[in-house]
């Protein structure tokens, strides 16, 4: 990637619970990566993303997505996102073509609106879409 990742590659916590510091509350996050035949990389994010878990996304983007190719982040299942997740989104956006597939969860939309970066992202609502072909068809006009 042209820009250095905001997270060290060795801090990945993919698909396992992560204890958040002094708190007994457990946060979980997961990413599922799918590379399409046409070069589009789709990463589905689910769960809660904070300082301790946002590295999961950064590592997936760094390892799986081809530089310069289209990256689709499906964020519909993100239950919580903080400034670390936002930092990751901005880093990814600055390094490649990025589309956020939704619908955007209300908390994530609010984060993007409050930080005045919502307009920086290309957002596609994939409500009711059952597979990546439908998603590609919906994104086609933007390619």
């Amino acid at each position: 990637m042209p820009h250095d990742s905001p997270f060290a590659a060795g801090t990945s916590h993919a698909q396992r619970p992560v204890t958040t510091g002094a708190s007994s509350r457990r946060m979980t996050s997961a990413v599922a990566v799918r590379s399409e035949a046409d070069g589009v990389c789709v990463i589905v994010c689910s769960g809660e993303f904070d300082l301790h878990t946002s590295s999961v996304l950064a590592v997936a983007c760094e390892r799986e997505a081809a530089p310069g190719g289209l990256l689709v982040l499906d964020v519909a299942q993100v239950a919580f996102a903080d400034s670390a997740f936002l930092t990751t989104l901005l880093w990814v956006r600055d390094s490649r073509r990025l589309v956020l597939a939704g619908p955007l969860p209300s908390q994530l939309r609010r984060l993007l609106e409050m930080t005045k970066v919502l307009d920086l992202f290309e957002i596609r609502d994939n409500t009711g879409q059952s597979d990546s072909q439908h998603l590609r068809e919906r994104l086609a006009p933007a390619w």
Side-chain angles (χ1 to χ4, degrees), residues 13 18 27-29 48-57:
H13 304 288
V18 177
M27 296 188 100
T28 57
S29 61
E48 301 172 325
F49 292 86
D50 68 357
L51 179 63
H52 301 286
T53 59
S54 290
S55 61
V56 174
L57 175 59

Side-chain angles (χ1 to χ4, degrees), residues 86 90 109-121:
L86 176 59
L90 291 168
R109 177 175 290 281
R110 188 167 158 237
L111 174 67
L112 297 175
E113 288 173 346
M114 287 177 30
T115 55
K116 301 192 184 312
V117 297
L118 180 65
D119 292 339
L120 297 178
F121 294 97

Side-chain angles (χ1 to χ4, degrees), residues 28 44 56 67 72 99 118-119 137 143:
T28 57
V44 179
V56 174
V72 176
V99 172
L118 180 65
D119 292 339
E137 289 170 5
W143 292 357

Side-chain angles (χ1 to χ4, degrees), residues 42 72 101 126 129 131-140:
V42 178
V72 176
N126 65 345
Q129 301 303 310
D131 62 21
S132 60
Q133 178 60 35
H134 288 120
L135 180 58
R136 280 197 309 275
E137 289 170 5
R138 290 180 62 93
L139 294 174

Side-chain angles (χ1 to χ4, degrees), residues 2-127:
H3 302 285
D4 291 331
S5 167
F7 302 99
T11 60
S12 175
H13 304 288
Q15 297 190 16
R16 69 176 188 180
V18 177
T19 305
T20 59
S23 171
S24 62
R25 182 171 176 250
R26 296 173 64 86
M27 296 188 100
T28 57
S29 61
V31 297
V33 179
R34 191 173 62 241
S35 295
E36 304 295 331
D38 58 3
V40 174
C41 181
V42 178
I43 299 180
V44 179
C45 303
S46 61
E48 301 172 325
F49 292 86
D50 68 357
L51 179 63
H52 301 286
T53 59
S54 290
S55 61
V56 174
L57 175 59
V59 169
C61 291
E62 208 165 36
R63 289 185 182 163
E64 303 295 336
L70 175 62
L71 175 61
V72 176
L73 291 181
D74 185 335
V75 295
Q77 298 175 46
V78 173
F80 173 81
D82 71 0
S83 61
F85 187 75
L86 176 59
T87 298
T88 303
L89 291 180
L90 291 168
W91 166 74
V92 171
R93 181 196 167 273
D94 287 345
S95 64
R96 69 181 70 250
R97 173 109 189 279
L98 173 66
V99 172
L100 299 180
L104 290 183
S106 60
Q107 190 270 331
L108 179 57
R109 177 175 290 281
R110 188 167 158 237
L111 174 67
L112 297 175
E113 288 173 346
M114 287 177 30
T115 55
K116 301 192 184 312
V117 297
L118 180 65
D119 292 339
L120 297 178
F121 294 97
E122 185 174 339
I123 300 169
R124 297 286 187 244
D125 184 353
N126 65 345
T127 303

